[in-house]
Amino acid sequence: MKVFALVDCNNFYVSRERVFCPRLSQRPVVVLSNNDGCVVARSQEAKALGIPMGAPVFQCREVLDRERVEACSSNYTLYGDMSRRVMLTLGQFTPHVEVYSIDESFLGFRQAPSSDLTAFAQDIRGTVRQWTGLPVSIGIGRTKTLAKLANRIAKRTETAQGVFDLTDPHRDLLDGIEVKEVWGIGPRYTAFLKRHGIRTVHQLTQARDAWVQKHLTIVGLRIVRELRGVPCIPLEEIPPSKKAIARSRAFSRPVRALPEIREAVATYIASAARALRKQGSVAGCLHVSVETSRFKTPRYGDAATLRLPFPTASTSDLIHFAHQGLRLIFKEGYPYHRAGVFLTDLSPQDSLQTDLFTLEYYDDRKKRLMELVDGLNARWGRGRVRFAAEGLKQEWGMRQSRRSPRFTTRWEELPVVRAS
């Protein structure tokens, strides 16, 4: 019997903050978005206080102060590295791993790895906790959809102790689960199904295939068959290449000077180009945009689209063209709130075709330079080698007044223990 498991890190960002700061355990903790603007993650204690997800900090400042809630700035470098460590740990149990998101992974087994799947999953949980310090919940099923559903049950059922086996779901159990809990069934489909008398997962599994395909499309039919225990959604062990890559951030303060916005655009281009090279692609089109705050006057926003004379993944080339586009849309006197870049018309680098009119643009030295820069940054830390156009101080950068140290990727931020 083929078996799938969904491993999901509990309270993703908060748990990572607690790994290196034990005093946060059992305390209400929230993690804030870019520029410390909104709540993007909450501990169970913070959820119990009624702090909503996505709430602006200024709206919940009173409860944060009154209940002494610990607020942390987002530390994406730490989160990304800790996520990588979790995925490597899961790879010890099976070579078939699909990284679904930064805090979720599907595991695939061609046959049941143990006669006691719950005990096996508990072993995975224990290993992840021991090796990374992070708590996870695991759902098990004969399909990815059932594994996802089982994971939801594992998180909400205290007696499950973080693991739920749904490889043999019985009618009474499925009849107690609402269709809105199913992976892929959104609010619109939930309302539609309720209008047709389908409120539970069991009722959905009993619907006729022709009716499901007509009203929920072929995607919905796959979901229903998965709920019946028929695998229809395979593991994606090799993630598909992105069709576009975007980078956009709000500034920590209003920016009026063109040189600072040029630095921001160059920084975003460097990040997008790094992702472009990582998937082995080149970009044929570039978009650059700027805008002021939507809540303040004067208001202004514009974007420029440039068809590149040759597809490229070179950071220097992309910065050059992005700055050309920026000159077309920048206007003096406005307090800019955000800038962004967007790379489109992506194609595989290996299949790139040249012609006599663009041959002069293809310099193998640029490719080798980018490989060298990426290699140095991978070894010594992201941003160790960068283009001067990105700036040094970057005073326009994100406000992260409560960011924890990047313990796992920066030598100078390693925790220090002093023995007296």
Side-chain angles (χ1 to χ4, degrees):
M1 176 183 66
K2 182 180 290 188
V3 173
F4 295 89
L6 177 65
V7 183
D8 184 13
C9 298
N10 299 338
N11 299 323
F12 178 64
Y13 290 172
V14 171
S15 296
R16 278 153 176 73
E17 295 291 344
R18 285 173 167 173
V19 168
F20 296 99
C21 190
R23 70 178 180 82
L24 298 181
S25 299
Q26 310 303 320
R27 286 193 57 185
V29 180
V30 297
V31 176
L32 308 178
S33 64
N34 296 340
N35 293 312
D36 298 343
C38 301
V39 175
V40 295
R42 306 160 294 165
S43 66
Q44 292 300 124
E45 296 82 4
K47 293 176 183 178
L49 294 174
I51 300 174
M53 176 67 85
V57 172
F58 72 89
Q59 289 185 359
C60 53
R61 175 61 64 188
E62 182 180 350
V63 65
L64 294 178
D65 294 339
R66 183 180 69 247
E67 302 295 339
R68 300 179 64 186
V69 178
E70 189 78 22
C72 305
S73 299
S74 298
N75 189 344
Y76 298 118
T77 302
L78 176 65
Y79 304 153
D81 187 66
M82 292 295 287
S83 173
R84 179 185 63 83
R85 295 176 183 227
V86 171
M87 305 313 170
L88 289 175
T89 302
L90 297 177
Q92 303 297 313
F93 294 91
T94 175
H96 308 295
V97 179
E98 175 190 335
V99 180
Y100 182 65
S101 68
I102 194 171
D103 63 336
E104 290 180 278
S105 280
F106 284 102
L107 308 184
F109 303 91
R110 299 188 187 282
Q111 58 184 8
S114 171
S115 58
D116 189 341
L117 292 175
T118 299
F120 178 74
Q122 289 291 358
D123 183 35
I124 295 177
R125 290 188 74 236
T127 303
V128 173
R129 188 63 181 262
Q130 181 181 7
W131 291 11
T132 68
L134 297 170
V136 299
S137 296
I138 302 178
I140 308 169
R142 285 185 285 170
T143 67
K144 290 173 68 175
T145 303
L146 285 173
K148 184 80 170 178
L149 190 61
N151 187 275
R152 285 179 177 264
I153 299 173
K155 282 191 169 185
R156 299 178 182 181
T157 308
E158 188 174 347
T159 57
Q161 297 182 331
V163 173
F164 197 83
D165 181 4
L166 204 57
T167 54
D168 188 22
H170 50 82
R171 174 175 176 173
D172 291 342
L173 176 62
L174 296 183
D175 225 17
I177 304 174
E178 296 184 11
V179 290
K180 67 178 182 181
E181 303 293 335
V182 177
W183 180 39
I185 302 295
R188 186 169 64 88
Y189 277 151
T190 297
F192 172 81
L193 291 171
K194 286 184 176 180
R195 289 198 300 269
H196 288 79
I198 299 176
R199 297 177 178 274
T200 70
V201 173
H202 174 70
Q203 291 174 335
L204 182 58
T205 61
Q206 301 305 302
R208 292 183 297 107
D209 287 359
W211 185 89
V212 172
Q213 183 170 347
K214 178 181 178 180
H215 297 287
L216 305 185
T217 74
I218 189 65
V219 176
L221 180 59
R222 290 195 190 103
I223 293 173
V224 172
R225 287 181 175 175
E226 288 250 321
L227 290 172
R228 295 170 182 163
V230 180
C232 298
I233 306 174
L235 281 181
E236 291 186 358
E237 298 178 47
I238 301 177
S241 296
K242 296 179 180 178
K243 297 182 179 180
I245 297 175
R247 294 292 186 272
S248 178
R249 291 276 175 83
F251 304 135
S252 59
R253 56 173 173 77
V255 175
R256 296 176 180 271
L258 177 59
E260 287 189 289
I261 297 182
R262 283 170 59 91
E263 286 185 2
V265 168
T267 301
Y268 302 157
I269 280 288
S271 175
R274 184 169 53 247
L276 189 66
R277 293 190 295 272
K278 187 176 181 180
Q279 71 175 31
S281 299
V282 291
C285 191
L286 183 153
H287 312 260
V288 59
S289 63
V290 292
E291 63 177 315
T292 60
S293 174
R294 291 174 292 175
F295 308 104
K296 297 180 181 179
T297 55
R299 298 178 186 174
Y300 171 72
D302 201 356
T305 299
L306 290 85
R307 170 64 61 177
L308 305 182
F310 54 94
T312 181
S314 168
T315 300
S316 60
D317 290 336
L318 292 170
I319 288 176
H320 170 73
F321 292 117
H323 283 173
Q324 283 187 357
L326 182 61
R327 286 196 295 270
L328 297 175
I329 60 177
F330 178 82
K331 290 186 177 181
E332 296 282 355
Y334 285 96
Y336 290 98
H337 172 71
R338 175 187 295 271
V341 298
F342 192 37
L343 303 181
T344 59
D345 192 19
L346 307 189
S347 57
Q349 185 173 12
D350 294 339
S351 62
L352 189 61
Q353 294 184 350
T354 60
D355 56 57
L356 292 176
F357 301 101
T358 60
L359 191 59
E360 61 182 292
Y361 296 114
Y362 296 98
D363 188 345
D364 193 55
R365 291 177 298 177
K366 291 182 180 180
K367 181 180 178 182
R368 295 200 303 269
L369 175 62
M370 291 296 95
E371 290 175 350
L372 178 61
V373 170
D374 291 341
L376 289 171
N377 286 331
R379 181 175 181 180
W380 300 109
R382 184 173 296 178
R384 291 298 188 182
V385 181
R386 57 183 174 179
F387 285 80
E390 299 177 56
L392 297 176
K393 294 183 179 180
Q394 296 188 341
E395 296 178 352
W396 45 267
M398 284 194 304
R399 182 170 58 249
Q400 294 177 302
S401 60
R402 299 171 179 267
R403 180 182 62 78
S404 57
R406 292 160 290 191
F407 296 104
T408 63
T409 57
R410 296 279 182 168
W411 285 106
E412 65 272 21
E413 296 182 18
L414 284 173
V416 178
V417 178
R418 293 183 174 87
S420 57

